[in-house]
Amino acid sequence: MCEAGKHRFVHLFTRGSSQLNPLLTGMQTGTRGCEGPGTCTMATLLQPNMNSLQTPGENRSVPPSPSCSPTRNDCGIAPLTPSPSPRTVVRPRVSRPFSVVVAIDFGTTSSGYAFSFTQDPEAIHMMRRWEGGDPGVANQKSPTCLLLTPDLRFHSFGFAARDSYHDLDPEEARLWLYFDKFKMKIHSTSDLTMETDLEAVSGRKVRAIEVFVHALRFFREHALKEVKDQSSSVLEGEDVRWVITVPAVWRQPAKQFMREAAYQAGLVSPEAPEQLLIALEPEAASIYCRKLRLHQVIDLSTRPLANGLDSDGSRLFDSGFRQAREQLRRARHSRTFLVESGTGELWSEMQTGDRYIVADCGGGTVDLTVHQIEQPQGTLKELYKASGGPYGAVGVDLAFESMLCQIFGEDFIDSFKAKRPAAWVDLTIAFEARKRTASPGSSNALNISLPFSFIDFYKRHRGQSVETALRKSNMNIVKWSSQGMLRLTPEAMKELFQPTIDNIVKHIEDLLRKQEVQGVRFLFLVGGFAESPMLQQAVQMTLGRSCRIIIPQDVGLTILKGAVLFGLDPTVVRVRRCPLTYGVGVLNRFVEGRHPRDKLLVKEGREWCTDILDRFVAVDQSVALGEVVRRSYTPARPGQRKIIINIYCSTSDDVVYITDPGVRKCGAITLDLPDAGPGTAAARRREIRATMQFGDTEIKVTAVDVVTNRSVRAAIDFLSN
């Protein structure tokens, strides 16, 4: 066990350094790895069983093996000493006895909350009716809009924010900060940190975390008030489990960002992280779909289509959703939905091994998840890592803005947005209402009212009328109405929708070709954009022969209800797939001919290969709930109070070194070491066993001091890079 080939080392990393070989730098200086008294960024890797996952067992003290490696230097390299692995013991997950679960569906376009009391889990209570709204639009949720005063204080959220901003004087509005569809910033920012900015409609910037904190605090106050109104007992803060939904394609930094925002908003305390769950949106929808009865779904595959029309000439997509909305309208006065205690009728058709896809078509992103049903318990197994992209309904809005730029000039549109921000919001609201009514079988043009300030501003800016601009643009699919409206022909609406819809359909088609996804029986369309008849028809005509396409009638609330069910039972998804390969940089014995010479490091007469990626998990690897990866570390020097180990990730599993293309530093594990007492055996020989869990929606780490069997404060930070 003491031969050199069995020694592995974690790299010595100096934060803020861009050097490719920080270990060598740390050795030369002897102190570069230290970040202040009692802190060192390097530790020894003690347990080299690299790729196995284990079910969590009891923490047990393991006697250390004798050392047989290079002499230690302060903040230098400490040697690996293999330790026996703990015996695998199945330990049931202990859930906290919460009284109520509150879920917040934080969407790009609209948001809402729902809750359920754990003593009556079949009843899901939806949020109160919102004041305001758009004519002809079912206001099941509130627009994701936030208004801050000029001195950055919270003013309002949702319809109230939108209406208040609309009523501001144009000059005054330029001083206020209005944000809408701001969730997309978190998805599109590759280097997300706590300092990332968000730009308001007026152009002013504020830290993104502050915007999200204001929004979550708003939902916290409203939800708790409503929960307490309906509760017969006195509820304390610790009685509530919170669930926040995020797209499945979000990376770990974005999930951590939402958790940090929830901490700052007062939903839960950082000392009680288990009180908050991050739910993946398509996963939540899948959990709710398990409960559906046949009368609660629209099966697009049950009736033949001819050019978007049913065989009797009626518009299938329009009529189906008119019926669904009418049922919702009748039921909405109670705002309480009852779900099956077991699984619904649709699920009773399914057998163990049946596969299905959930396509969450939201405002900002489209998320695809592939699940397999496990009967009779009805648990779910993810078959392929979540995929998708920024193909949500916002793409249609951006296409409309691009069309306006073509007609009126990009410089004018930019100037109008900056100088008349409230009027620009009015224009986007007008388009949103018409966008929702667009139908593939329609032969009528859709009228969109232009705000008077748009018409007036254009005439003063360009010296000509809007009508003249339309005529000169030669855009025949957009007409002008003498009543002050843009008339978008059916061809124009199709042109606005087509690029986004094509992206969605292509992504589903590509997924269906994957070997792991063969034999899919159902495709569930969920999310707000799934209400669009334009999208429904395109999906049905392209994919209807491959699988049955099912749409829940309350499609806009599917994720919200599923998030509540997830909070009631987080173990329902039993197996997930890793979206990325994760690992740390280590040293291995240098092998001539296998390792490149530029990775050679000579330490006290022994040759080591640097920069080797030691995998925790590989991309698309199946990880069951409760399975863990264990690594053991020892401080590099006595008295060290902190161990910091950098984490690397890649979209490929075919990587060997942390310097390979596509490998990037994505986070750091921090282990805070309690004082073991000078001169004690624990101080002389400390082993910190870290346990990492990759089977949940977030990566979690816990640690224990093996000698004393005391817990060690451990955290993974994905936001400080």
Coordinates of all heavy atoms in Angstrom, one line a residue, residues 353-391:
G353 N -40.8 0.7 -16.6 CA -40.0 0.8 -17.8 C -40.5 1.8 -18.9 O -39.7 2.1 -19.8
D354 N -41.8 2.1 -18.8 CA -42.3 3.1 -19.8 C -41.6 4.4 -19.7 O -41.3 4.9 -18.6 CB -43.8 3.3 -19.6 CG -44.6 2.2 -20.3 OD1 -44.0 1.4 -21.0 OD2 -45.8 2.1 -20.1
R355 N -41.3 5.0 -20.8 CA -40.5 6.3 -20.9 C -41.4 7.4 -21.4 O -42.2 7.2 -22.3 CB -39.3 6.1 -21.8 CG -38.4 4.9 -21.3 CD -37.4 4.6 -22.4 NE -36.5 3.5 -21.8 CZ -35.3 3.3 -22.3 NH1 -34.8 3.9 -23.4 NH2 -34.5 2.3 -21.8
Y356 N -41.1 8.6 -21.0 CA -41.8 9.8 -21.5 C -40.9 11.0 -21.4 O -39.9 11.0 -20.6 CB -43.1 10.0 -20.8 CG -43.0 10.3 -19.3 CD1 -43.0 11.6 -18.8 CD2 -42.9 9.2 -18.4 CE1 -42.8 11.8 -17.5 CE2 -42.7 9.5 -17.0 CZ -42.7 10.8 -16.6 OH -42.6 11.0 -15.2
I357 N -41.2 12.0 -22.2 CA -40.5 13.3 -22.2 C -41.4 14.4 -21.6 O -42.6 14.4 -22.0 CB -40.0 13.7 -23.6 CG1 -39.0 12.7 -24.1 CG2 -39.4 15.1 -23.6 CD1 -38.5 12.9 -25.5
V358 N -40.9 15.2 -20.8 CA -41.6 16.4 -20.4 C -40.8 17.6 -21.0 O -39.6 17.8 -20.8 CB -41.6 16.6 -18.9 CG1 -42.2 18.0 -18.5 CG2 -42.3 15.5 -18.2
A359 N -41.6 18.4 -21.9 CA -41.0 19.6 -22.5 C -41.6 20.8 -21.8 O -42.8 21.1 -22.0 CB -41.3 19.6 -24.0
D360 N -40.8 21.4 -21.0 CA -41.3 22.6 -20.3 C -41.0 23.8 -21.1 O -39.8 24.3 -21.2 CB -40.6 22.7 -18.9 CG -40.8 24.1 -18.2 OD1 -41.8 24.7 -18.5 OD2 -40.0 24.5 -17.4
C361 N -42.0 24.4 -21.8 CA -41.9 25.5 -22.7 C -42.3 26.8 -21.9 O -43.5 27.1 -21.8 CB -42.7 25.3 -23.9 SG -42.4 23.7 -24.7
G362 N -41.3 27.4 -21.4 CA -41.6 28.6 -20.6 C -41.4 29.9 -21.3 O -41.3 29.9 -22.5
G363 N -41.3 31.0 -20.5 CA -41.1 32.3 -21.2 C -39.7 32.5 -21.6 O -39.4 33.0 -22.7
G364 N -38.7 32.0 -20.8 CA -37.3 32.2 -21.2 C -36.6 31.0 -21.8 O -35.9 31.1 -22.8
T365 N -36.9 29.8 -21.2 CA -36.2 28.6 -21.7 C -37.1 27.5 -22.0 O -38.3 27.5 -21.6 CB -35.2 28.1 -20.6 OG1 -35.9 27.9 -19.4 CG2 -34.1 29.1 -20.3
V366 N -36.6 26.5 -22.8 CA -37.3 25.3 -23.0 C -36.4 24.2 -22.4 O -35.2 24.1 -22.7 CB -37.6 25.0 -24.5 CG1 -38.0 23.6 -24.7 CG2 -38.7 25.9 -25.0
D367 N -37.0 23.4 -21.5 CA -36.3 22.4 -20.7 C -36.9 21.0 -21.1 O -38.1 20.8 -21.0 CB -36.6 22.6 -19.2 CG -35.4 23.2 -18.5 OD1 -34.3 23.3 -19.1 OD2 -35.5 23.6 -17.3
L368 N -36.0 20.1 -21.4 CA -36.5 18.7 -21.7 C -35.9 17.7 -20.7 O -34.7 17.7 -20.4 CB -36.0 18.3 -23.1 CG -36.4 19.2 -24.3 CD1 -35.9 18.7 -25.6 CD2 -38.0 19.4 -24.3
T369 N -36.8 16.9 -20.1 CA -36.4 15.9 -19.2 C -37.0 14.6 -19.6 O -38.2 14.5 -20.0 CB -36.9 16.2 -17.8 OG1 -36.2 17.4 -17.3 CG2 -36.5 15.1 -16.8
V370 N -36.2 13.5 -19.6 CA -36.7 12.2 -20.0 C -36.8 11.3 -18.7 O -35.8 11.2 -18.0 CB -35.7 11.5 -21.0 CG1 -36.3 10.2 -21.4 CG2 -35.4 12.4 -22.1
H371 N -38.0 10.8 -18.4 CA -38.2 10.0 -17.2 C -38.7 8.6 -17.5 O -39.3 8.4 -18.6 CB -39.2 10.7 -16.3 CG -38.6 11.8 -15.4 ND1 -39.3 12.8 -14.8 CD2 -37.3 12.0 -15.1 CE1 -38.5 13.6 -14.1 NE2 -37.3 13.2 -14.3
Q372 N -38.4 7.7 -16.6 CA -38.9 6.4 -16.7 C -39.7 6.1 -15.5 O -39.3 6.4 -14.4 CB -37.8 5.4 -16.9 CG -38.2 3.9 -17.1 CD -37.0 3.1 -17.4 OE1 -36.0 3.0 -16.6 NE2 -36.9 2.4 -18.5
I373 N -40.9 5.5 -15.6 CA -41.7 5.2 -14.5 C -41.3 3.9 -13.8 O -40.9 2.9 -14.5 CB -43.2 5.1 -14.9 CG1 -44.2 5.0 -13.7 CG2 -43.5 4.0 -15.8 CD1 -44.4 6.4 -13.0
E374 N -41.3 3.9 -12.5 CA -41.0 2.7 -11.7 C -42.3 2.3 -10.9 O -42.7 3.0 -10.0 CB -39.9 2.9 -10.8 CG -38.6 3.2 -11.5 CD -37.4 3.5 -10.5 OE1 -37.6 4.3 -9.5 OE2 -36.3 3.0 -10.7
Q375 N -42.9 1.2 -11.4 CA -44.1 0.8 -10.7 C -43.8 -0.3 -9.7 O -42.8 -1.0 -9.9 CB -45.1 0.3 -11.7 CG -45.6 1.3 -12.7 CD -46.6 2.3 -12.1 OE1 -46.5 2.6 -11.0 NE2 -47.4 2.9 -13.0
P376 N -44.5 -0.6 -8.7 CA -45.8 0.0 -8.4 C -45.7 1.3 -7.5 O -46.7 2.0 -7.3 CB -46.6 -1.1 -7.6 CG -45.4 -1.8 -6.8 CD -44.3 -1.8 -7.8
Q377 N -44.5 1.6 -7.1 CA -44.3 2.7 -6.2 C -44.5 4.1 -6.9 O -44.7 5.1 -6.2 CB -42.9 2.7 -5.5 CG -41.7 2.9 -6.4 CD -41.2 1.6 -7.0 OE1 -42.0 0.7 -7.3 NE2 -39.9 1.5 -7.2
G378 N -44.4 4.1 -8.2 CA -44.6 5.3 -9.0 C -43.5 6.3 -8.9 O -43.6 7.5 -9.2
T379 N -42.3 5.9 -8.4 CA -41.1 6.8 -8.4 C -40.6 7.0 -9.9 O -40.9 6.2 -10.8 CB -40.0 6.2 -7.5 OG1 -39.7 4.9 -7.9 CG2 -40.4 6.3 -6.1
L380 N -39.8 8.0 -10.0 CA -39.3 8.4 -11.4 C -37.8 8.2 -11.5 O -37.1 8.5 -10.5 CB -39.7 9.8 -11.7 CG -41.2 10.1 -11.6 CD1 -41.4 11.6 -11.8 CD2 -42.0 9.3 -12.5
K381 N -37.3 7.9 -12.6 CA -35.9 7.7 -12.9 C -35.5 8.6 -14.1 O -36.2 8.4 -15.2 CB -35.6 6.3 -13.1 CG -34.1 6.0 -13.5 CD -33.9 4.5 -13.7 CE -32.5 4.2 -14.2 NZ -32.3 2.7 -14.4
E382 N -34.6 9.4 -14.0 CA -34.2 10.3 -15.1 C -33.3 9.4 -16.1 O -32.3 8.8 -15.6 CB -33.4 11.5 -14.7 CG -33.1 12.5 -15.8 CD -32.5 13.8 -15.2 OE1 -31.9 13.8 -14.1 OE2 -32.5 14.8 -16.0
L383 N -33.6 9.4 -17.4 CA -32.9 8.6 -18.3 C -31.8 9.3 -19.1 O -30.8 8.7 -19.6 CB -33.8 7.9 -19.3 CG -34.8 6.9 -18.8 CD1 -35.7 6.4 -19.9 CD2 -34.1 5.7 -18.1
Y384 N -31.9 10.6 -19.2 CA -30.9 11.4 -20.0 C -30.8 12.7 -19.3 O -31.8 13.3 -18.9 CB -31.4 11.5 -21.4 CG -30.3 12.0 -22.4 CD1 -29.2 11.3 -22.8 CD2 -30.4 13.4 -22.8 CE1 -28.3 11.8 -23.6 CE2 -29.4 13.9 -23.6 CZ -28.4 13.1 -24.0 OH -27.4 13.6 -24.9
K385 N -29.6 13.3 -19.3 CA -29.4 14.6 -18.6 C -30.3 15.6 -19.2 O -30.6 15.6 -20.4 CB -28.0 15.0 -18.7 CG -27.4 15.2 -20.1 CD -25.9 15.6 -20.0 CE -25.3 15.7 -21.4 NZ -25.8 16.9 -22.1
A386 N -30.8 16.6 -18.4 CA -31.7 17.6 -18.8 C -31.0 18.4 -20.0 O -29.8 18.7 -19.9 CB -32.0 18.5 -17.7
S387 N -31.8 18.8 -20.9 CA -31.3 19.6 -22.1 C -32.3 20.7 -22.4 O -33.4 20.7 -21.9 CB -31.0 18.7 -23.3 OG -32.2 18.1 -23.7
G388 N -31.9 21.6 -23.3 CA -32.8 22.6 -23.7 C -32.0 23.9 -24.1 O -30.8 23.8 -24.4
G389 N -32.6 25.0 -24.0 CA -31.9 26.2 -24.4 C -32.9 27.4 -24.3 O -34.0 27.3 -23.9
P390 N -32.4 28.6 -24.7 CA -33.2 29.8 -24.6 C -34.2 30.0 -25.7 O -34.1 30.9 -26.5 CB -32.1 30.9 -24.6 CG -31.0 30.3 -25.5 CD -31.0 28.9 -25.2
Y391 N -35.1 29.0 -25.8 CA -36.1 29.0 -26.8 C -37.5 29.3 -26.4 O -38.5 28.8 -26.9 CB -36.1 27.6 -27.5 CG -34.8 27.0 -27.8 CD1 -34.5 25.6 -27.5 CD2 -33.7 27.7 -28.3 CE1 -33.3 25.1 -27.7 CE2 -32.5 27.2 -28.5 CZ -32.2 25.9 -28.2 OH -31.0 25.3 -28.4

